[in-house]
């Protein structure tokens, strides 16, 4: 029974020791003390209670102190609680200090909390970065398409990292400048002879305004000749004009056909009226007989005159009396 009680006490003491060392990191405090970093033991305990890893803060403080930077543990702890990357900020500050780049702790933490890699930004400031644009197609004034690829050398602008536009904006602006400069050229041969004119014109426009980078140079890496866009446009325009002309001709033909049909209908209508009028003649003759206005001899004389007229027309071949054989011969 006593042995069991002793064993429980031993295990309890071990657990208490582990918990004590977890909340009271004495070895970390000793390391900071011999490194010349003033961090209180209770301060480390409070960090553990606030769920801030004391080792990250202490190691960062030691690194900053050895590099000659004056940063307090409260500043590092605040940045960690805000979701920042404390070691990355310290590395960035040391790199900036060694490269004589003006970068304060407040700027570094703001850049880090903005989602940018502040250490990489400092590296780009020291060692400029080359960005290769995708193929940019543009058409010169003579209608020939040119496809250009540019390499943009940029350096990070520390002051513009917070709120400044990124690489996509740089690429878009450079592409727009290439298209504009090629489009203003009178001939594609001018661009092929002096591609540096494109880079000079684009660089003079200040495309890095409002971005997180400073453009150092724009170099045209390659220029290829594409399609003859002007000729294609002329062919397409001619094809469109031909279709319009065909449509208008078809419209005029349809109107002519409609007019012809209308004239035929009017002719048929006129013939019908003539036939209708001729049908009234026998009625008029009969009425003249009844009223005594026309005698039988007068009627015969009219018939003789009509027959004589038909005979003359038949002889001349131009009247109603023309026979079928005569019509065929004519």
């Amino acid at each position: 029974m006593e042995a069991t009680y002793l064993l429980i006490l031993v295990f309890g003491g071990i657990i208490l020791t582990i918990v004590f060392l977890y909340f009271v990191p004495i070895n970390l405090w000793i390391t900071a003390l011999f490194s010349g970093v003033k961090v209180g033991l209770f301060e480390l305990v409070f960090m553990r209670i606030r769920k801030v890893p004391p080792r990250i803060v202490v190691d960062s403080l030691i690194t900053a102190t050895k590099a000659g930077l004056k940063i307090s543990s409260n500043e590092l702890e605040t940045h960690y609680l805000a979701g920042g990357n404390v070691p990355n900020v310290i590395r960035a500050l040391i790199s900036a200090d060694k490269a004589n780049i003006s970068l304060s702790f407040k700027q570094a933490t703001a850049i880090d909390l903005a989602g940018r890699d502040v250490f990489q930004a400092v590296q780009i400031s020291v060692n400029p970065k080359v960005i290769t644009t995708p193929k940019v197609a543009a058409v010169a004034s003579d209608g020939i398409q040119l496809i250009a690829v540019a390499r943009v050398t940029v350096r990070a602008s520390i002051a513009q990292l917070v709120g400044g536009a990124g690489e996509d904006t740089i690429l878009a602006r450079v592409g727009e400048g290439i298209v504009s400069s090629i489009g203003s050229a009178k001939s594609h041969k001018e661009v092929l002879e002096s591609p540096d004119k494109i880079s000079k014109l684009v660089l003079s426009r200040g495309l890095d305004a409002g971005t997180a980078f400073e453009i150092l140079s724009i170099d045209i890496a390659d220029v290829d000749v594409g399609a003859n866009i002007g000729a294609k446009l002329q062919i397409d325009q001619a094809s469109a004009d031909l279709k319009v002309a065909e449509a208008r001709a078809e419209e005029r033909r349809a109107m002519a056909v409609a007019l012809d049909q209308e004239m035929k209908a009017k002719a048929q209508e006129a013939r019908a009226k003539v036939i209708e009028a001729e049908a009234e003649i026998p009625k008029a003759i009969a009425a003249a007989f009844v009223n005594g206005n026309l005698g039988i001899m007068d009627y015969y004389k009219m018939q003789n005159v009509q027959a004589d007229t038909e005979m003359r027309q038949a002889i001349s071949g131009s009247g109603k009396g023309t026979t079928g054989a005569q019509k065929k011969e004519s």
Side-chain angles (χ1 to χ4, degrees):
M1 193 70 180
E2 292 180 358
T4 303
Y5 182 72
L6 182 61
L7 186 63
I8 293 172
L9 288 177
V10 171
F11 276 108
I14 293 173
I15 292 172
L16 288 176
T17 303
I18 293 173
V19 172
F20 177 77
L21 292 177
Y22 175 77
F23 283 98
V24 186
I26 298 177
N27 57 343
L28 193 61
W29 175 73
I30 294 173
T31 301
L33 184 64
F34 281 97
S35 299
V37 177
K38 295 181 180 180
V39 180
L41 186 60
F42 287 104
E43 189 175 353
L44 297 177
V45 174
F46 293 148
M47 287 183 191
R48 186 74 75 180
I49 294 174
R50 287 190 290 268
K51 297 182 179 181
V52 176
R55 179 163 294 279
I56 293 179
V57 176
V58 172
D59 289 345
S60 299
L61 276 175
I62 292 173
T63 304
T65 302
K66 294 299 182 182
L69 302 178
K70 295 182 179 180
I71 301 173
S72 65
S73 60
N74 288 331
E75 290 176 330
L76 297 180
E77 188 177 354
T78 301
H79 185 60
Y80 180 86
L81 291 173
N85 190 338
V86 174
N88 201 42
V89 170
I90 296 300
R91 287 198 301 269
L93 289 172
I94 294 174
S95 298
D97 182 66
K98 299 303 180 183
N100 293 324
I101 297 175
S102 178
L103 179 64
S104 64
F105 180 78
K106 185 177 180 180
Q107 284 180 315
T109 54
I111 294 169
D112 185 59
L113 292 177
R116 297 184 183 273
D117 192 335
V118 61
F119 180 64
Q120 184 182 12
V122 173
Q123 286 183 323
I124 296 176
S125 297
V126 177
N127 185 20
K129 179 181 179 181
V130 177
I131 306 173
T132 301
T133 65
K135 292 183 177 180
V136 180
V139 181
S141 297
D142 59 356
I144 304 299
Q145 183 188 53
L146 295 178
I147 302 172
V149 177
R151 289 191 174 93
V152 186
T153 305
V154 297
R155 179 172 58 195
S157 177
I158 301 298
Q160 296 291 333
L161 280 175
V162 179
E167 293 183 11
D168 293 339
T169 302
I170 293 290
L171 293 177
R173 291 181 180 179
V174 171
E176 180 184 357
I178 293 174
V179 171
S180 177
S181 59
I182 292 177
S184 61
K186 295 182 179 179
S187 172
H188 70 286
K189 295 180 181 179
E190 294 182 3
V191 180
L192 294 177
E193 290 173 358
S194 302
D196 59 320
K197 291 182 180 179
I198 301 177
S199 58
K200 291 178 181 178
L201 181 61
V202 174
L203 190 60
S204 64
R205 295 186 175 183
L207 302 179
D208 52 4
T211 65
F213 299 96
E214 177 187 353
I215 298 178
L216 301 179
S217 66
I218 299 175
D219 304 308
I220 303 299
D222 186 26
V223 179
D224 295 328
V225 179
N228 193 336
I229 303 299
K232 287 185 177 181
L233 292 175
Q234 289 178 358
I235 293 172
D236 294 341
Q237 184 63 42
S239 178
D241 292 341
L242 177 61
K243 290 181 180 180
V244 171
E246 289 176 350
R248 290 177 178 174
E250 181 64 23
E251 181 182 0
R252 289 194 297 269
R253 189 194 67 81
M255 292 178 64
V257 170
L259 182 61
D260 181 63
Q261 294 295 327
E262 183 180 358
M263 296 304 294
K264 288 181 179 180
K266 289 182 178 180
Q268 292 292 336
E269 183 181 358
R271 290 193 188 99
K273 290 181 179 180
V274 170
I275 294 172
E276 182 181 359
E278 288 178 350
E280 297 293 330
I281 293 175
K283 295 180 181 180
I285 294 173
F289 275 118
V290 172
N291 296 327
N293 295 326
L294 182 66
I296 189 66
M297 294 306 294
D298 295 330
Y299 177 72
Y300 282 129
K301 287 180 181 180
M302 183 185 68
Q303 290 290 332
N304 291 330
V305 173
Q306 186 176 358
D308 183 62
T309 302
E310 290 179 356
M311 180 183 67
R312 292 175 183 278
Q313 290 176 347
I315 292 172
S316 64
S318 60
K320 295 182 179 179
T322 307
T323 61
Q326 289 173 334
K327 289 181 179 179
K328 290 180 180 178
E329 291 176 359
S330 62

